[in-house]
Amino acid sequence: MPITADIPAAEVAIVEMTNAFRKKHNLATVRPNPKLAEAARAYAETLAEGRELSHTLGETTPATRAQRSGYAYCQIAENLAMADYRGGFSSQDFARRTMQGWEGSPGHLRNLMLPHLADIGVAVVRASPDDQRYIAVQLFGRPRTQRYAFKVENVGSKSVAYEFAGKRYDLAREQYMTHTPCMPGTIDIVGGGKGKAAGRYEARDGQVYSVKAGPDGVTVEVAPDPRRAEAAPAD
């Protein structure tokens, strides 16, 4: 008699194998999130109703589905799998085959190795009692609560420039820019001549990076934002 997988056990196994894979590649593990799991299950059930394996069925996206389930995100990624197991399979076998398929696909592998993921939701659904197709949805997320804020300001009389998250910013005299990113990053101060970096700084929450271009080059001072301190509640 064919073995019928324990679907909840298969879902747990996929999460465990995902974290084992990430540990192997020196990446942070992800924690199960019920809202992402809810979004994954709802979409797996939608996919089970048809034959198409798409990330945008019903004019939705992984991001809109996560948001609909109440997950406030700043990063979302999704892996899908569909397989026909007429001969039966165990939960561990299903999880292993699914992970092997994702690891062998460049797009799915890229999602598995996103460096700043925090949460995961996994759902496995059988199409119907008479249909041996099983659909797996793996939904990754990074919550909006992990956003942070910092400011770069020009405190000199000459214009300065810096790069952050792959984009260049030019600041005129007394101009500043406030950033509220979700992902960790570095600030590259331009000023070494011919666009070379004058210094690299890790972007940190609540910090002000004061940049000044002078005759001897570019200097940077890093200090807590005083307005943050003023706004903090008293003990």
Side-chain angles (χ1 to χ4, degrees):
M1 182 177 179
I3 300 172
T4 301
D6 179 343
I7 285 181
E11 294 169 345
V12 170
I14 289 175
V15 173
E16 291 175 345
M17 291 180 189
T18 298
N19 278 330
F21 175 85
R22 289 179 65 83
K23 282 183 179 179
K24 178 181 176 182
H25 293 277
N26 299 315
L27 296 168
T29 58
V30 288
R31 58 182 178 267
N33 181 279
K35 293 178 180 178
L36 289 181
E38 177 186 333
R41 186 163 309 284
Y43 195 56
E45 291 172 351
T46 297
L47 292 171
E49 295 173 358
R51 292 278 173 180
E52 183 182 3
L53 199 63
S54 167
H55 292 283
T56 56
L57 207 61
E59 298 184 353
T60 65
T61 66
T64 59
R65 294 190 291 272
Q67 190 171 20
R68 187 181 299 164
S69 293
Y71 185 84
Y73 69 90
C74 58
Q75 184 181 33
I76 288 290
E78 182 181 71
N79 285 338
L80 305 177
M82 182 184 293
D84 190 328
Y85 288 96
R86 296 185 183 278
F89 60 98
S90 69
S91 301
Q92 287 289 320
D93 183 45
F94 178 86
R96 188 178 303 108
R97 292 187 190 183
T98 300
M99 285 295 297
Q100 287 173 347
W102 287 334
E103 290 171 28
S105 164
H108 297 95
L109 177 62
R110 183 168 55 250
N111 287 341
L112 287 170
M113 296 191 67
L114 287 170
H116 304 304
L117 296 173
D119 300 319
I120 186 174
V122 172
V124 177
V125 170
R126 182 173 178 175
S128 73
D130 300 323
D131 192 332
Q132 296 297 319
R133 288 179 305 123
Y134 286 80
I135 293 90
V137 177
Q138 181 186 53
L139 193 58
F140 293 111
R142 181 176 175 86
R144 194 174 299 163
T145 54
Q146 295 194 13
R147 283 189 183 276
Y148 60 101
F150 68 90
K151 183 170 75 173
V152 181
E153 62 179 4
N154 182 1
V155 295
S157 59
K158 298 181 179 180
S159 63
V160 297
Y162 66 97
E163 295 179 355
F164 179 73
K167 185 177 179 180
R168 178 184 169 110
Y169 298 87
D170 293 278
L171 299 180
R173 178 181 179 180
E174 297 183 353
Q175 189 177 16
Y176 69 88
M177 178 71 69
T178 299
H179 296 265
T180 56
C182 179
M183 307 297 174
T186 55
I187 305 163
D188 290 317
I189 307 298
V190 178
K194 296 183 179 180
K196 294 181 180 179
R200 171 169 288 186
Y201 301 83
E202 183 179 354
R204 293 184 178 275
D205 185 44
Q207 299 295 297
V208 177
Y209 301 81
S210 300
V211 186
K212 182 177 182 179
D216 297 324
V218 177
T219 60
V220 181
E221 292 186 3
V222 183
D225 189 338
R227 290 181 297 181
R228 282 280 195 95
E230 292 171 3
D235 293 334

